[in-house]
Amino acid sequence: MNNTSAIKRGWDVFYKSINMVRWVISNVVFFGIVGLVLLLGVFFAVILFQTPTLNPRTTLVLNLEGNVVEQYTANSMGRAVKQLVGNSNIPEQRLFDIVAAIGFAKTDPNITQLVIKTDGLNQMGVAQAREVVRAIQSFKKSQKPVIAVGQNFTQKQYLIASAADQIF
């Protein structure tokens, strides 16, 4: 009987030791993963929410290229896949993004001028061109120069370029 209780106590100690090791390893792994996820989360938050700074006397070059659209014809994943497989469709720019970029440049003290390149512009509606012209005219109220650059101009390209202070 004494022998059995010694074996039982030995087995209990062995079981508790194994259980303790399992518990310690599980907690170390769990808290290690949680710590890693938190560390990566903080790292990506710092990178993603970091506001870019511009050097003083920066020129915003507005390169109007491809089709100006109200909404992209494909979702972001579809556009990324097309770029990966080398499908060279005509690029698209959203009108909202163009107008927003001009609006932000108007209020940014580091941006001193706007240069508009219209050579790559493919399709754009007249109403869209007028919306860009209104944004350019609003930009000009900040007393910053606007320069349009192009080899030759279609009517819509010239409509946009006509809002500039100089055309080259």
Side-chain angles (χ1 to χ4, degrees), residues 40-140:
L40 287 174
V42 168
F43 176 73
F44 284 118
V46 167
I47 288 176
L48 291 177
F49 296 113
Q50 181 178 355
T51 47
T53 56
L54 296 175
N55 294 330
R57 301 184 44 80
T58 298
T59 297
L60 172 63
V61 178
L62 186 63
N63 189 9
L64 299 176
E65 194 171 86
N67 296 334
V68 175
V69 296
E70 298 292 326
Q71 183 176 340
Y72 291 122
T73 56
N75 62 16
S76 56
M77 182 62 86
R79 289 192 313 274
V81 169
K82 284 182 182 180
Q83 285 180 341
L84 284 175
V85 296
N87 190 347
S88 61
N89 285 346
I90 298 171
E92 297 177 329
Q93 293 183 12
R94 289 190 321 163
L95 176 65
F96 175 81
D97 295 335
I98 295 168
V99 171
I102 296 170
F104 288 131
K106 173 185 173 183
T107 59
D108 192 331
N110 291 324
I111 295 180
T112 57
Q113 66 181 349
L114 173 64
V115 173
I116 304 165
K117 294 172 64 177
T118 61
D119 282 338
L121 185 61
N122 190 23
Q123 289 184 354
M124 174 186 240
V126 175
Q128 292 172 325
R130 287 187 179 157
E131 190 70 29
V132 173
V133 167
R134 277 193 286 279
I136 293 168
Q137 290 169 340
S138 176
F139 177 86
K140 287 171 62 174

